[in-house]
Amino acid sequence: MWIRSSMTYRASFVVTVFGNLLVTGLDFVAILLMFSQVDSLGGWPLAEVAFLYGLSATAFGLADLTFGSMDVLGSRMRDGSFDTLLVRPAPVLAQVAADHFALRRLGRITQGVLVLGWGLSAVDVDWTVAKVLLVPVMVVSGGVIFCALFVAGAAFQFLAQDAAEVQNAFTYGGTTLLQYPPTVFGKDLVRGVTFMLPLAFVNWVPAAYVLGRPYPIGLPSWAAFASPLAAAACCAAAGLVWRAGLRSYRSTGS
């Protein structure tokens, strides 16, 4: 239904996708402005930062397209309309994810892919088969990790009922964090997003292997290939949290 409504006015759809691409592209423009004043960020040149940015933006764009509507859960619980989802013969999680599905978010993915393509062409890397195969694995695993974050954030709204901004702090805030090299952040923060909330496996850890750079806190070499495991662990945790939140839901009473 949401796709059909988006395509009803195709010129408007194209304009909104292009506008989404331009707005999200301002993030990378800000990075370009930084590099007009410096040669590197934390020792990472522009091409390598573009590589990080493209990986994070593309992975997050895929998650935002599929699960980006999860923040409507809080408003649906408050106005009581969430109850209608519970009696339909379809998984509640799928219904919430499809609620207000916005194809205009393709603009964010397009922008991320363009920057990633430029970054891949510009980085000075001795490409091997393992490194080439690791790039799509990073994008897919990163997208899954962000999807798990969206689901976990939505589950938290069963408790808080108005926590969309908290969810956005970890999802949108997380992708912004990953657009910069880990070397510009303190080691405690790097440890936190590596071992507690494994956002680092979206791009930091595997990208360090691809680019031949040491990871700031030191990890075994096999960690570069652990993104799918981190994504699976995030999905399992998000699934448990979602089920617990759904079981605790008691309706509005109206």
Side-chain angles (χ1 to χ4, degrees), residues 34 42 111 142 184-185 193 248:
M34 291 182 196
Q111 183 259 351
V184 304
F185 299 104
V193 296
S248 69

Side-chain angles (χ1 to χ4, degrees), residues 66-77 81-83 85-88 90-99 147-161 167 233-250:
T66 52
F67 283 87
S69 299
M70 300 296 286
D71 56 357
V72 303
L73 182 63
S75 61
R76 277 196 170 275
M77 285 192 292
S81 61
F82 182 68
D83 292 16
L85 306 184
L86 299 176
V87 297
R88 291 176 180 169
V92 177
L93 180 59
Q95 293 184 67
V96 177
D99 200 5
C147 285
L149 275 183
F150 274 114
V151 174
F156 179 67
Q157 296 190 56
F158 284 111
L159 174 66
Q161 298 192 350
Q167 173 184 317
C234 288
C235 284
L240 291 174
V241 173
W242 172 261
R243 287 177 178 273
L246 196 58
R247 282 197 297 269
S248 69
Y249 178 66
R250 292 293 181 268

Side-chain angles (χ1 to χ4, degrees), residues 117-187:
W118 181 79
L120 283 171
S121 65
V123 291
D124 183 16
V125 173
D126 183 16
W127 289 102
T128 62
V129 174
K131 290 181 179 179
V132 171
L133 294 177
L134 192 55
V135 174
V137 171
M138 277 190 279
V139 173
V140 174
S141 299
V144 174
I145 289 173
F146 277 123
C147 285
L149 275 183
F150 274 114
V151 174
F156 179 67
Q157 296 190 56
F158 284 111
L159 174 66
Q161 298 192 350
D162 189 14
E165 296 307 320
V166 175
Q167 173 184 317
N168 292 339
F170 287 94
T171 52
Y172 289 88
T175 188
T176 301
L177 175 79
L178 296 176
Q179 291 167 2
Y180 297 90
T183 48
V184 304
F185 299 104
K187 289 190 176 181

Side-chain angles (χ1 to χ4, degrees), residues 177-178 182-201 204-205 215-219:
L177 175 79
L178 296 176
T183 48
V184 304
F185 299 104
K187 289 190 176 181
D188 288 339
L189 177 62
V190 175
R191 289 190 186 95
V193 296
T194 302
F195 300 115
M196 295 179 65
L197 186 64
L199 285 172
F201 290 91
W204 279 359
V205 176
Y215 195 61
I217 58 173
L219 291 175

